């Protein structure tokens, strides 16, 4: 047995002690303890509380040096398996070309599809591994990880196998999501039905047979997949035993969020253009809304998802980076929190609940992660600041000093 005592914590935000998921005013609950200590045994937390009451018998003691400690962050929407980066498109956008126009001309998701298909599995795996280090580096200990840049059975399986293998080899936990319906590939532009047939009859069964995903997702958007096509794919996924998530209302509200509510999806993500009927549907269906502030920021848009409204309506808001080479090239949840606080008018406590408890809830991992309390996995971050507000306030700087994952110091 290995044990670690973290002491001299000026502000411990346990996030424990209130109902999960966090809704309404509950999103302000951070379970704050001053002059605190945390004791870890093997991969579990066994004590979190006042330092004066902490058991003083550990093999390793870490002096937090009057810094702030929170649970490891949980990023519930990422696309980490890709080959080439797309800074040329970033520059095109700076020159005035919109994201969806670049995509319509064969850039966007399809440019990542081309480069992914061209690289060998092992090379792709090593590229992905480096990106996982990036998440840990910024204090994230669990991510949801999507395929979606392969769009053939073989390349989607290749992407999901990489996630599975790296999950065993790398300290970061990844929850795998199949996103074979991320775009209609160019070769099926004139035969959408055939591509959908391949997703439904070939890809999905193979993914399930090989136990490669927990969730199925689809990009429901004008010019990509409509709500009826999304229903076909997601309903089939559910029949095969997968849970579902959806990219909806990113640019135009075409019914994806309403569908998420109807099918009781785990999450509906983006929601920049969500309407009142979408919000009501999420409420009725118990769907977690996941907003992606870094994406809106990175695309240079000024209209952000109505996060405040969703909180006021009693929805358990979560925040993700949407890490991907096109619309959000960042690993940093703290950066996403800063953007959410400024542009969605959240408070740091709400942002932290959105990136821990509620993010874990959207992945059905709330029993294991998201809070620092006895029995939970020992995933936590020592920030180089006295309090958490400073992490959000002092932006563009990486404050994650020490990261512990399953009881092991990984940074
Ligand atoms: O969530 N919106 C759809 N998919 C990704 C972007 C993918 C890309 O541009 O490569 C997203 O933003
Ligand atoms: Fe996405």
């Amino acid at each position: 047995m290995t044990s670690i005592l973290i002491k001299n914590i000026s502000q411990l935000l346990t996030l424990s002690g209130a109902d999960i998921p966090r809704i309404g005013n509950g999103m302000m609950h951070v379970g704050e303890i001053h002059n605190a200590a945390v004791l870890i045994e093997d991969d579990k937390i066994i004590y979190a509380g006042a330092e004066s009451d902490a058991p003083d018998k550990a093999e390793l003691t870490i002096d937090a040096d009057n810094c702030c400690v929170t649970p490891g962050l949980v990023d519930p929407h990422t696309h980490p398996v890709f080959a080439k980066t797309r800074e040329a498109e970033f520059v095109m956008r700076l020159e005035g070309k919109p994201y969806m126009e670049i995509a319509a001309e064969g850039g966007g998701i399809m440019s990542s599809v081309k480069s992914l298909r061209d690289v060998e599995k092992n090379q792709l795996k090593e590229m992905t591994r480096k990106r996982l280090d990036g998440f840990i580096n910024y204090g994230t200990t669990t991510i949801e990880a999507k395929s979606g840049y392969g769009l053939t059975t073989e390349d989607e399986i290749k992407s999901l196998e990489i996630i599975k293998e790296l999950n065993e080899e790398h300290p970061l936990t990844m929850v795998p999501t199949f996103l074979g319906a991320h775009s209609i590939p160019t070769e099926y532009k004139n035969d959408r039905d055939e591509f959908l047939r391949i997703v439904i009859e070939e890809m999905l069964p193979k993914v399930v047979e090989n136990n490669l995903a927990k969730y199925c997702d689809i990009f429901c958007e004008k010019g990509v997949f409509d709500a009826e096509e999304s229903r076909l794919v997601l309903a089939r996924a559910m029949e095969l035993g997968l849970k579902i998530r959806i990219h909806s209302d990113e640019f135009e509200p075409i019914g994806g969020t309403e569908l998420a509510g109807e099918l009781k999806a785990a999450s509906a993500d983006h929601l920049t253009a969500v309407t009142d009927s979408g919000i009501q549907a999420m409420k009725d269906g118990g769907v977690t809304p996941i907003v992606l502030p870094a994406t809106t920021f990175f695309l240079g848009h000024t209209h952000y998802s109505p996060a405040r409204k969703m909180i006021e309506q009693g929805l358990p808001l979560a925040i993700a980076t949407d890490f991907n080479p096109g619309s959000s090239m960042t690993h940093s949840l703290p950066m996403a929190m800063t953007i959410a606080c400024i542009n969605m008018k959240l408070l740091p406590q709400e942002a932290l609940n959105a990136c821990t408890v509620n993010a874990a809830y959207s992945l059905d991992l709330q029993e294991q992660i998201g809070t620092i309390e006895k029995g939970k996995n020992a995933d936590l971050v020592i920030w180089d600041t006295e309090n958490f507000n400073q992490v959000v306030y002092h932006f563009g700087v990486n404050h994650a000093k020490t990261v512990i994952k399953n009881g092991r110091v990984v940074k």
Side-chain angles (χ1 to χ4, degrees), residues 104-123:
E105 290 170 11
I109 294 169
M110 274 318 292
S111 72
S112 287
V113 169
K114 280 187 211 103
S115 64
L116 183 139
R117 287 178 181 173
D118 282 348
V119 347
E120 291 276 313
K121 182 177 168 192
N122 256 323
Q123 224 183 326

Side-chain angles (χ1 to χ4, degrees), residues 4-16:
I4 303 177
L5 178 68
I6 307 169
K7 58 181 209 180
N8 213 2
I9 302 171
S10 74
Q11 184 195 45
L12 173 65
L13 301 183
T14 64
L15 275 290
S16 69

Side-chain angles (χ1 to χ4, degrees), residues 77 79 82 86 89 93 99-100 103 107-112 146 148-149 179 182 217-221 224 247 250-251 269-270 292 295 299 321-328:
H77 180 142
H79 305 251
F82 59 86
R86 288 172 21 212
E89 289 178 18
R93 285 203 303 280
Y99 175 73
M100 288 305 266
I109 294 169
M110 274 318 292
S111 72
S112 287
K146 302 175 197 296
Y149 291 122
L179 178 57
H182 195 190
D217 190 351
I218 187 165
F219 187 12
C220 181
E221 186 62 47
V224 192
H247 282 67
E250 179 175 5
F251 301 111
D269 307 35
H270 280 288
L292 311 172
T295 307
L299 292 179
T321 60
D322 192 21
F323 173 70
N324 78 77
S327 66
S328 187

Side-chain angles (χ1 to χ4, degrees), residues 277-411:
S277 82
I279 290 177
Q280 187 59 46
M282 286 191 285
K283 233 182 139 171
D284 295 342
V287 179
T288 298
I290 301 183
V291 295
L292 311 172
T295 307
T296 306
F297 172 78
F298 193 67
L299 292 179
H301 296 171
T302 51
H303 177 73
Y304 284 81
S305 315
R308 275 256 66 87
K309 188 170 179 179
M310 293 191 274
I311 292 174
E312 276 152 24
Q313 292 294 315
L315 288 167
L317 189 86
I319 294 175
T321 60
D322 192 21
F323 173 70
N324 78 77
S327 66
S328 187
M329 191 62 181
T330 183
H331 294 102
S332 172
L333 271 175
M335 184 73 200
M337 286 192 248
T338 299
I339 301 169
C341 287
I342 293 171
N343 292 301
M344 297 175 172
K345 312 288 177 221
L346 298 195
L347 290 170
Q349 295 95 321
E350 293 172 316
L352 185 59
N353 271 288
C355 292
T356 53
V357 175
N358 285 353
Y361 174 76
S362 87
L363 296 168
D364 200 17
L365 291 176
Q366 68 278 8
E367 303 291 334
Q368 290 86 42
I369 58 171
T371 67
I372 299 176
E373 62 188 302
K374 192 172 186 296
K376 288 260 172 117
N377 292 0
D379 292 2
L380 45 92
V381 183
I382 305 175
W383 305 93
D384 68 3
T385 61
E386 270 174 48
N387 58 61
F388 186 71
N389 285 356
Q390 282 186 18
V391 173
V392 180
Y393 150 81
H394 189 177
F395 71 99
V397 174
N398 187 4
H399 294 287
K401 185 167 71 164
T402 303
V403 180
I404 297 179
K405 173 71 196 180
N406 285 330
R408 274 182 48 219
V409 178
V410 291
K411 172 180 179 175

